[in-house]
Amino acid sequence: MTNRRANDARPTNEEPTQMASAKDENKGNDIVDGIGDGTVDATAEAGNGDVGNGDAGEAPITTDEIFRAHEGGKLITASTLPLNSTRDLSIAYTPGVAQVCEAIHDDPKLTRTYTWTGNNVAIISDGTAVLGLGDIGPKAALPVMEGKAQLFGRFAGLNAVPIVLDTTDPEELVETIARLAPSFGGINLEDISAPRCFEVERRLDEMLDIPVFHDDQHGTAIVITAGLRNACKLTDRRLEDLKVVISGAGAAGVATTRMLLSAGVTDIVVCDSRGIIHEGREPLNEVKATLAELTNPRGLRGSISDALVGADAFIGVSAGHLNSEQISKMAEGPFLFSLANPNPEIPQKIALEYGSVVATGRSDYPNQINNVLAFPGIFKGALAAGATRITKSMKLAATRAIAAVAAEDLRHDYIIPSPLDPRVAPAVAAAVEVAARNDSTSGASR
């Protein structure tokens, strides 16, 4: 797939919103739009009218401009070969193509070499968790999937095809995606609400011989972990020593918890709309029961206010509001990653007053936690390695690569690279490819 306006390399305004996504556990709404699971008092309001500015000095982006840009869609398919003569036709199509078909029949691995699958990702959604809009259905989700495809092309040079499915049943989603899989080199699951997204990804990962990656879970977790690594480096702390509070037990919250545990954090307390998740709390679904076993080593109980006492870091992946009294009870100079958008869980004024490092999901504030830093390079590296799955070691390699790009110029307002930094995707791709080849469970060629 290629951009309809090839000369416009900069993502449009809705794309950065899509990039920094994470879901709440019930509706799966993206944190970037400030609608969450009610872990803290919800106060975010949806914006309307003009959607803000582009780059510095540019005119505000208007609603009319947005709709004009989307007319006819944002993607086209394009041939890589000329078709100007009968010779061209004989090579690209019949009779020449039959030789390639027979070769692939004899050796299916040649599909990656002689079709587009080696450089092609399917972006698949059921429309149940689109941005901050929630369950708006597959047709309304399609503009977002087209935007995601643009990001794959822009940042990693990968083809990506948006596919929306008219079913919300996990069984039907798994079966349909599995049947589509032979046309693609990787599957990027997008905007599928929790907790169904966990089952869908797990089963596809077990069934398919190509990488499957739910960006709303792992993309968010990877970029958060990269930011936290650099926050520690900047302030001379260690991940292993942090007491971390995560607000939100949906897709992003669960994945971030697992990623931070893998990165070395040992003290994580996860809160949902009913407070601290702990063993013995009823009722807990299967996902939260597992979280209770993996987290909260001090056995805390109560509300998020109780969890924050003495905490070194707050990670918000569920919209709402925390006040200065709650934040003042944290350890001195905490890391405050308030990722709800447009209104962070912690108002920016309060966050800057108390936090040593402050990050948000907004593009107009420093330290934006943005998924586009992760997923293009991850798929690029996985496909280059011929990996059949994306493993924990590959995700950790991505966190280190993202952090390393910013590490030499660290400041309190720069712990994470810009999503437009051209160094990021190649660095992530290279690190992920190496990690895949060194990981016997990735299925990569060695």
Side-chain angles (χ1 to χ4, degrees):
M1 307 298 286
T2 58
N3 290 353
R4 188 156 65 96
R5 288 170 295 280
N7 62 338
D8 184 9
R10 184 176 61 251
T12 54
N13 194 64
E14 79 281 6
E15 290 157 0
T17 300
Q18 165 64 14
M19 298 170 207
S21 60
K23 307 297 185 189
D24 97 350
E25 61 187 313
N26 297 320
K27 298 180 181 178
N29 293 328
D30 283 355
I31 56 173
V32 293
D33 280 318
I35 303 175
D37 65 0
T39 301
V40 287
D41 296 335
T43 59
E45 296 180 358
N48 51 49
D50 293 350
V51 297
N53 295 318
D55 289 341
E58 292 187 345
I61 299 169
T62 67
T63 296
D64 286 345
E65 182 181 359
I66 291 171
F67 276 90
R68 285 196 305 271
H70 283 76
E71 286 180 5
K74 294 175 287 191
L75 304 170
I76 62 170
T77 56
S79 173
T80 63
L81 298 175
L83 296 176
N84 299 324
S85 67
T86 55
R87 180 182 178 83
D88 293 341
L89 289 172
S90 296
I91 292 172
Y93 197 50
T94 185
V97 72
Q99 296 182 40
V100 181
C101 294
E102 290 174 337
I104 292 173
H105 178 266
D106 293 338
D107 183 2
K109 291 182 179 178
L110 293 177
T111 305
R112 287 178 50 85
T113 303
Y114 295 113
T115 73
W116 72 346
T117 58
N119 199 48
N120 193 39
V121 176
I123 305 169
I124 301 180
S125 177
D126 63 1
T128 55
V130 182
L131 303 180
L133 306 174
D135 186 354
I136 60 174
K139 289 184 178 180
L142 194 52
V144 177
M145 304 309 118
E146 288 184 359
K148 194 76 172 231
Q150 289 181 292
L151 300 179
F152 271 103
R154 168 65 174 82
F155 293 105
L158 295 176
N159 299 311
V161 180
I163 299 173
V164 290
L165 301 178
D166 191 15
T167 179
T168 61
D169 179 76
E171 194 71 38
E172 292 181 353
L173 285 169
V174 169
E175 180 180 0
T176 303
I177 295 169
R179 292 182 186 276
L180 289 168
S183 293
F184 302 98
I187 303 292
N188 185 85
L189 300 175
E190 188 73 20
D191 292 351
I192 299 173
S193 62
R196 296 174 310 115
C197 60
F198 301 117
E199 177 187 355
V200 172
E201 184 193 39
R202 176 185 58 79
R203 291 177 58 186
L204 288 171
D205 190 52
E206 294 171 352
M207 293 171 62
L208 301 181
D209 61 354
I210 59 175
V212 178
F213 185 82
H214 186 203
D215 186 48
D216 302 312
Q217 294 183 56
H218 310 298
T220 303
I222 286 166
V223 181
I224 288 172
T225 304
L228 210 58
R229 282 185 184 278
N230 276 348
C232 284
K233 183 175 183 179
L234 179 67
T235 58
D236 196 25
R237 303 186 208 184
R238 302 192 316 154
L239 285 172
E240 295 86 344
D241 298 331
L242 297 181
K243 294 183 175 67
V244 178
V245 174
I246 296 177
S247 174
V254 171
T256 300
T257 299
R258 292 184 177 277
M259 181 63 63
L260 291 178
L261 289 169
S262 298
V265 179
T266 60
D267 192 332
I268 302 175
V269 178
V270 183
C271 299
D272 63 7
S273 59
R274 297 175 55 236
I276 296 171
I277 294 175
H278 59 82
E279 291 188 273
R281 201 190 86 177
E282 297 292 344
L284 289 177
N285 61 30
E286 183 179 353
V287 172
K288 291 184 181 181
T290 301
L291 276 183
E293 294 173 1
L294 296 174
T295 63
N296 195 12
R298 288 172 287 142
L300 300 182
R301 302 190 176 206
S303 69
I304 191 170
S305 296
D306 299 305
L308 288 171
V309 176
D312 301 292
F314 167 81
I315 297 171
V317 285
S318 177
H321 180 72
L322 293 173
N323 57 44
S324 58
E325 181 180 357
Q326 292 168 301
I327 303 304
S328 68
K329 295 179 181 178
M330 297 181 69
E332 184 177 354
F335 305 147
L336 303 177
F337 285 34
S338 307
L339 306 184
N341 204 355
N343 299 313
E345 292 91 343
I346 304 171
Q348 190 74 346
K349 182 178 179 181
I350 295 175
L352 292 173
E353 178 182 354
Y354 288 96
S356 61
V357 176
V358 174
T360 73
R362 291 178 57 137
S363 60
D364 57 344
Y365 289 167
N367 297 328
Q368 184 193 18
I369 302 299
N370 194 317
N371 284 18
V372 78
L373 293 165
F375 68 82
I378 287 171
F379 271 99
K380 184 77 169 180
L383 293 177
T388 59
R389 59 192 302 263
I390 295 173
T391 65
K392 179 170 66 176
S393 67
M394 294 162 71
K395 297 170 192 173
L396 286 171
T399 72
R400 291 189 290 268
I402 294 168
V405 171
E408 293 184 3
D409 301 308
L410 286 182
R411 304 184 306 271
H412 292 273
D413 61 352
Y414 180 72
I415 60 160
I416 206 79
S418 161
L420 296 177
D421 191 322
R423 299 173 296 170
V424 176
V428 172
V432 168
E433 182 178 357
V434 170
R437 295 191 190 281
N438 290 331
D439 188 337
S440 61
T441 67
S442 74
S445 53
R446 312 187 80 182

